[in-house]
């Protein structure tokens, strides 16, 4: 599965475009591990590098940067991969 298609990438604002909005920033994509309970909500992205900013919900819940290529390279048990929530619709982080 392609985590972020070119069509989806065109909808995601550039890095710093939602700076200062905090939990009112819009999450355009939800990515998750089906085996470990980690979730990434993408609010901004650099389509050239795959660097993203958003909410990371793992051991802790915090806003921060993460790398799309690094997420795509992760393989879990039995070859499981990080997936994109196909039923996700954009919403403020305060609603997730």
């Amino acid at each position: 599965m392609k985590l972020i298609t070119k069509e989806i990438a065109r909808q995601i604002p550039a890095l710093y475009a939602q700076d200062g909005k905090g939990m009112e920033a819009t999450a355009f994509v939800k990515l998750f591990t089906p085996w470990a309970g980690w979730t990434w909500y993408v609010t901004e992205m650099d389509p050239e590098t795959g660097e993203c900013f958003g909410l990371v919900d793992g051991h802790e819940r915090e806003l921060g940067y993460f790398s799309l290529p690094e997420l795509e390279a992760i393989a879990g048990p039995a070859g499981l991969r990080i997936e994109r929530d196909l039923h996700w619709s954009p919403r403020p982080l305060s609603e997730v």
Side-chain angles (χ1 to χ4, degrees):
M1 165 185 279
K2 183 114 174 108
L3 292 181
I4 297 182
T5 64
K6 288 180 182 179
E7 181 180 323
I8 293 170
R10 284 192 291 272
Q11 298 171 19
I12 301 171
L15 290 177
Y16 312 109
Q18 297 193 73
D19 193 27
K21 289 188 175 183
M23 295 302 284
E24 291 312 309
T26 301
F28 290 87
V29 176
K30 175 185 175 185
L31 307 172
F32 64 95
T33 56
W35 69 91
W38 279 71
T39 306
W40 296 262
Y41 298 93
V42 180
T43 61
E44 302 168 354
M45 184 177 114
D46 179 336
E48 298 292 321
T49 65
E51 182 177 17
C52 298
F53 184 82
L55 181 67
V56 181
D57 191 359
H59 294 297
E60 295 184 29
R61 199 169 155 103
E62 61 186 343
L63 294 170
Y65 292 91
F66 48 93
S67 167
L68 189 60
E70 287 180 12
L71 294 181
E72 290 174 334
I74 293 172
L80 289 172
R81 302 297 226 176
I82 292 174
E83 298 181 21
R84 176 172 30 93
D85 184 339
L86 300 176
H87 304 288
W88 179 261
S89 59
R91 65 193 75 161
L93 289 173
S94 61
E95 293 181 15
V96 300

